[in-house]
């Protein structure tokens, strides 16, 4: 191994690994995060035959296609207990996701308990009990850290800000109606909307607040939001009109938005952090710091007034120099059909008209889970295994596109998720054999989670193969089994795994060691992992 470790997963981390399973188990990697991915794959090699555990022999060279593989979870429109967030992190780790984009607050509620401004949560959350304490936040960050997942906090402004104003109304712009301030015109605006860019006190508050966020969260990036800053409230205000005239903006609200955004991003830079923002300001011609990452989210499927997502990504790539992540086609809160994982699987961030150099600025993508109609009782069932399709698209080579093959693998993988404690929805008709006991009544569906790997490496028990397995799938790429989840049946390997790396002949067959040998190898590797980087007492 012999690599250094930064302590926390970070943007651009090296996740490549080589795994060899023969009479011994070896994982070669340049970083601890590659070791984490290799351990996940290693566990996927295990299976049972007549109650005895085996591990498949294999030689694997694996690395992600995209460096940014994220999932947004919105905890403002519905509150999720810490246990649900952890369960989702378990599932993310299984699929080699590496960014938890925590959309922690929004207009509906402010569940983050600030150290400096505790009233924001005390008054702005749905209830003082439905909040994330500082201990909760650190617990989530550490839990994600051990799984190689970054925690990216989002505090969206200047819009989506109603909950901030419950405790601190002075932050928001008083909207005007009938010649009076602070009056709603519900066809257009509420009593107060959007942070007030005309006051220096607004930016003084933001500097204090994000100084705290810098100390609380460990990632080098903040997600600053900056989407959907609707102008109706600003347009209604004579105070804003006077400020714009004095600033030389005239009636150009794009310039007012730019003024706010640039001042806030300057604060982030002074705090030695970098920013990710939604694409809206760039669509409006705003210029932001060059190291800002732009999240493309717009698509005609989300709003008929929008264009297909490819046009927005092409514009970002061909008219700017920013790096881009895509989420437009991966809104998992929208249920399109019972088989809508197929449309997620078909979406490729690089399927746009751009040069190779421009395409190289696509860092990856993100599955979005907005919570208007999701809460702790249905979120995991709604997200998994649909998010598995996104994970494969972001990890696997571009030529892994066989939907029928993916369907069979995903169907079997859903059984693995159930064993891990993730209540994933069905993919096809059928059942997982270990969901029922011998008299056909329900047995334990959701046992204590175990860390299962998202990588395929299964080989036939009776017909050994001799091809190197390479990074082709965050969920297992065996074609199918005679019965789902029945590892005593024939397990056929998928040998159509093409990767840009040169391969070596793989080991044949399986290692017929009992389960204790395999699990001992994992325990030893985990101890090395913890001791190597000081992540525990190991």
């Amino acid at each position: 191994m012999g690599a250094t470790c930064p302590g926390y997963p970070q943007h651009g981390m090296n996740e490549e690994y080589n795994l060899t399973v023969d009479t011994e188990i070896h994982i070669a990697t340049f970083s601890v995060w590659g070791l984490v991915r290799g351990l996940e794959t290693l566990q996927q090699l295990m299976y049972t035959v007549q109650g005895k555990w085996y591990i498949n022999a294999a030689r694997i060279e694996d690395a992600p296609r995209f460096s940014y593989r994220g999932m947004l979870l919105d905890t403002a429109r519905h509150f999720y207990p810490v246990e649900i967030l952890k369960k989702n992190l378990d599932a993310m780790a299984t699929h080699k996701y590496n960014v938890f984009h925590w959309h922690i607050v929004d207009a509906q509620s402010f569940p983050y308990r600030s150290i400096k401004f505790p009233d924001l949560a005390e008054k702005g959350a749905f209830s003082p009990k439905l909040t994330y304490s500082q201990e909760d936040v650190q617990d989530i960050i550490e839990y994600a850290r051990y799984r190689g997942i970054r925690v990216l906090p989002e505090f969206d402004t200047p819009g989506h800000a109603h909950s901030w104003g419950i405790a601190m109304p002075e932050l928001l712009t008083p909207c005007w109606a009938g010649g009076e301030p602070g009056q709603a015109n519900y066809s257009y605006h509420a009593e107060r909307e959007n942070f007030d860019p005309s006051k220096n006190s607004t930016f003084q508050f933001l500097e204090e607040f994000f100084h705290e966020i810098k100390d609380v969260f460990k990632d080098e990036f903040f997600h600053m939001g900056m989407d959907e800053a609707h102008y109706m409230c600003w347009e209604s205000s004579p105070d804003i009109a006077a400020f714009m005239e004095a600033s030389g903006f005239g009636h150009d609200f794009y310039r007012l938005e730019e003024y706010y955004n640039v001042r806030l991003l300057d604060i982030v830079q002074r705090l030695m952090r970098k920013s990710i923002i939604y694409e809206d300001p760039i669509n409006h011609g705003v210029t932001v710091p060059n190291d800002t990452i732009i999240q493309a989210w717009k698509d005609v499927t989300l709003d008929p007034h929008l264009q297909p997502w490819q046009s927005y990504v092409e514009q970002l790539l061909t008219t700017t120099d920013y790096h881009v992540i895509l989420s437009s086609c991966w809104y998992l809160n929208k249920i399109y059909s019972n088989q809508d994982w197929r449309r997620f699987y078909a979406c490729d961030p690089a399927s746009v008209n751009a040069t190779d150099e421009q395409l190289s600025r696509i860092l990856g993508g993100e599955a979005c889970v907005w919570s208007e109609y999701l809460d702790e009782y249905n979120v995991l069932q709604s997200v998994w295994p649909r998010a598995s399709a996104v994970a494969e698209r972001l990890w696997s080579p571009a030529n892994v596109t066989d939907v029928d093959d993916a369907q069979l693998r995903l169907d079997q993988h859903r059984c693995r998720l159930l064993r891990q404690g993730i209540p994933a929805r069905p993919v096809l008709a059928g059942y997982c054999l270990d969901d029922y006991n011998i008299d056909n009544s329900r047995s334990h569906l959701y046992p204590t989670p175990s860390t299962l790997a998202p990588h395929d490496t299964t080989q036939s028990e009776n017909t050994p193969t001799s091809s190197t397995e390479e990074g082709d799938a965050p969920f297992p790429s065996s074609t199918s089994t005679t019965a789902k989840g029945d590892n005593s049946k024939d397990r056929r390997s998928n040998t159509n795994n093409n990767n840009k790396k040169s391969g070596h002949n793989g080991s044949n067959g399986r290692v017929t060691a009992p389960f204790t040998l395999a699990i001992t190898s994992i325990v030893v590797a985990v101890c090395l992992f913890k001791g190597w980087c000081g992540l525990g007492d190991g």
Side-chain angles (χ1 to χ4, degrees), residues 102-120:
W102 194 350
H103 187 88
I104 192 167
V105 305
D106 207 297
Q108 290 77 7
S109 74
F110 198 104
Y112 169 73
R113 280 201 171 271
S114 168
I115 300 168
K116 295 182 179 180
F117 306 99
D119 279 354
L120 287 171

Side-chain angles (χ1 to χ4, degrees), residues 28-44:
T29 178
F30 294 102
S31 76
V32 68
W33 315 120
L35 178 59
V36 171
R37 307 302 177 228
L39 287 172
E40 290 165 355
T41 296
L42 178 61
Q43 291 208 43
Q44 201 71 65

Side-chain angles (χ1 to χ4, degrees), residues 238-257:
D239 298 327
I240 292 294
F243 173 76
M244 293 177 66
E245 188 68 29
S247 301
F249 300 158
H251 299 288
D252 188 346
F253 285 91
Y254 285 177
R255 294 188 65 187
L256 180 66
E257 180 185 17

Side-chain angles (χ1 to χ4, degrees), residues 31 226 340 413 488 500:
S31 76
M226 299 186 172
D340 62 358
H413 185 57
S488 66
K500 62 184 179 182

Side-chain angles (χ1 to χ4, degrees), residues 409-422 424-425 431-435 445 452 483-486:
R409 292 187 284 110
L410 185 59
D411 189 40
Q412 186 182 31
H413 185 57
R414 183 252 178 173
C415 296
R416 293 183 172 92
L417 292 175
L418 293 181
R419 294 185 204 110
Q420 191 180 352
I422 307 300
R425 60 190 285 182
Y431 67 102
C432 304
L433 289 183
D434 53 356
D435 284 357
L445 266 180
L452 297 176
K484 288 166 55 181
D486 182 4

Side-chain angles (χ1 to χ4, degrees), residues 326-513:
L326 175 71
S327 60
S328 310
C329 52
W330 293 320
Y331 272 48
L332 301 187
N333 53 292
K334 292 180 68 69
I335 308 296
Y336 297 94
S337 70
N338 290 330
Q339 290 276 309
D340 62 358
W341 67 268
R342 289 171 171 263
R343 69 185 295 153
F344 303 142
Y345 192 79
C347 181
D348 190 317
S351 59
V352 295
N353 292 320
T355 66
D356 289 344
E357 184 280 326
Q358 291 164 346
L359 291 174
S360 71
R361 290 190 277 111
I362 300 177
L363 299 176
E366 188 169 275
C368 290
V369 185
W370 301 100
S371 297
E372 287 90 344
Y373 305 106
L374 298 174
D375 63 12
E376 62 183 289
Y377 300 104
N378 68 344
V379 65
L380 295 175
Q381 296 93 325
S382 298
V383 170
W384 303 102
R386 297 159 76 232
S388 307
V390 183
E392 176 150 309
R393 182 55 50 236
L394 293 174
W395 180 281
S396 302
N399 60 2
V400 179
T401 57
D402 188 329
V403 176
D404 293 332
D405 173 69
Q407 177 175 252
L408 295 172
R409 292 187 284 110
L410 185 59
D411 189 40
Q412 186 182 31
H413 185 57
R414 183 252 178 173
C415 296
R416 293 183 172 92
L417 292 175
L418 293 181
R419 294 185 204 110
Q420 191 180 352
I422 307 300
R425 60 190 285 182
V427 176
L428 293 170
Y431 67 102
C432 304
L433 289 183
D434 53 356
D435 284 357
Y436 296 85
N437 63 26
I438 195 167
D439 63 1
N440 215 33
S441 62
R442 282 287 177 187
S443 63
H444 57 284
L445 266 180
Y446 312 129
T448 302
S450 61
T451 307
L452 297 176
H455 185 88
D456 157 61
T457 51
T458 58
Q459 300 186 31
S460 169
E461 296 175 25
N462 301 315
T463 307
T465 64
S466 59
S467 64
T468 299
E469 299 284 353
E470 297 184 349
D472 67 331
F475 51 89
S477 61
S478 57
T479 54
S480 68
T481 56
T482 305
K484 288 166 55 181
D486 182 4
N487 291 309
S488 66
K489 303 296 182 181
D490 180 36
R491 296 167 61 86
R492 299 176 179 86
S493 67
N494 173 15
T495 58
N496 297 320
N497 301 329
N498 298 316
N499 193 291
K500 62 184 179 182
K501 301 178 183 178
S502 60
H504 304 279
N505 288 331
S507 302
N508 293 336
R510 66 187 180 192
V511 178
T512 56

